[in-house]
């Protein structure tokens, strides 16, 4: 069984790129939170904005992985109006009791990220072992971003003092 799970929501793909890179480097399983409805276009944007501002919990599909089976769950969200995206809020509301160790990350345009990481930790019910912020422009080349490398190193350091998490690659696969 894999011991690390990366869980994330992504409306337009930026958070998904980062989640996939983290999962590849950590040999982790990955779960992209899915919904039944669409968030495309202006209506989808406005709905997302309203849900974020109001702190709502929209319905999400049942996931394929059980977070309680993992030693470490890495949770990622886009920043929506200085808030956690509402599908991630729903997922954490549903699963926070079964989380063990957590790490958190977000992607954003450039504002509200510190509050969102704080909110993620609060919703997880645990302080995060590592935190990462990437702007949407940086997501495509995230492996070159020092903060991304630091995030992986921090997870690796934690792993070295609390086995048995699997090894984390220092270099991207060729
Ligand atoms: C409804 C909504 C609200 C947003 N609010 C913020 C914000 O407060 N601060 C910010 O820096 N970016 C904000 N953004 C930009 C997203 O955080 C950013 O584009 C993110 O990388 C999108 O991730 P995704 O492609 O995985 O959905 C917002 C985007 C949406 C759709």
């Amino acid at each position: 069984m894999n011991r690390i799970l990366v869980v994330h929501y992504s409306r337009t793909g930026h958070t998904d790129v980062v989640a996939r890179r983290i999962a590849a480097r950590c040999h982790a399983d990955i779960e992209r939170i899915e919904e039944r409805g669409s968030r495309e276009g202006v209506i989808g944007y406005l709905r997302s904005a309203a849900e974020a501002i109001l702190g709502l919990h929209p319905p999400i599909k049942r996931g394929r992985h059980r977070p309680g089976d993992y030693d470490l769950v890495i949770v990622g969200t886009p920043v929506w109006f200085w808030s956690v995206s509402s599908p991630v809020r729903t997922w954490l509301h549903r699963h926070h009791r079964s989380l063990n160790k957590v790490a958190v990350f977000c992607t954003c345009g450039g504002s509200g990220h510190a509050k969102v990481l704080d909110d993620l930790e609060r919703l997880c019910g645990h302080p995060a072992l590592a935190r990462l912020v990437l702007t949407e422009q940086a997501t495509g080349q995230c492996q070159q971003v020092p903060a991304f490398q630091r995030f992986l190193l921090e997870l690796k350091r934690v792993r070295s003092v609390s086995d048995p998490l699997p090894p984390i690659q220092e270099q991207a696969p060729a």
Side-chain angles (χ1 to χ4, degrees):
M1 182 183 71
N2 204 323
R3 312 304 297 272
I4 304 177
L5 176 67
V6 179
V7 176
H8 66 292
Y9 176 78
S10 184
R11 175 175 171 266
T12 48
H14 296 99
T15 313
D16 187 54
V17 167
V18 179
R20 287 175 187 280
R21 296 264 157 79
I22 293 170
R25 295 285 290 276
C26 296
H27 307 285
D29 289 341
I30 187 163
E31 173 103 36
R32 182 171 179 167
I33 298 168
E34 293 180 7
E35 307 176 276
R36 289 182 212 293
S38 159
R39 290 183 186 271
E40 286 177 14
V42 176
I43 300 290
Y45 180 93
L46 293 175
R47 183 181 143 215
S48 303
E51 289 178 1
I53 290 165
L54 297 172
L56 300 183
H57 299 104
I60 57 174
K61 291 186 183 174
R62 178 189 285 270
R64 289 174 295 118
H65 302 90
R66 295 195 312 178
D69 289 343
Y70 294 85
D71 296 314
L72 170 66
V73 177
I74 303 171
V75 183
T77 182
V79 173
W80 284 357
F81 281 92
W82 288 51
S83 301
V84 173
S85 66
S86 51
V88 171
R89 188 178 290 277
T90 300
W91 191 91
L92 287 171
H93 186 67
R94 194 176 283 177
H95 294 292
H96 70 275
R97 283 183 203 84
S98 55
L99 298 178
N100 296 308
K101 298 185 178 75
V102 298
V104 294
F105 71 96
C106 66
T107 72
C108 63
S111 65
H113 40 82
K115 173 186 175 290
V116 163
L117 294 185
D118 289 347
D119 287 350
L120 277 179
E121 289 187 89
R122 187 174 46 75
L123 294 169
C124 287
H126 299 287
L129 301 181
R131 297 167 40 128
L132 170 67
V133 176
L134 285 170
T135 61
E136 60 190 34
Q137 294 91 339
T139 55
Q141 299 296 319
C142 64
Q143 311 237 50
Q144 270 81 59
V145 176
F148 182 84
Q149 299 297 342
R150 280 198 301 276
F151 181 75
L152 294 178
L153 279 173
E154 191 61 25
L155 295 179
K156 186 178 178 193
R157 190 185 64 76
V158 169
R159 181 211 158 255
S160 69
V161 294
S162 67
D163 270 341
L165 293 179
I168 290 169
Q169 281 177 230
E170 293 206 18
Q171 293 299 321

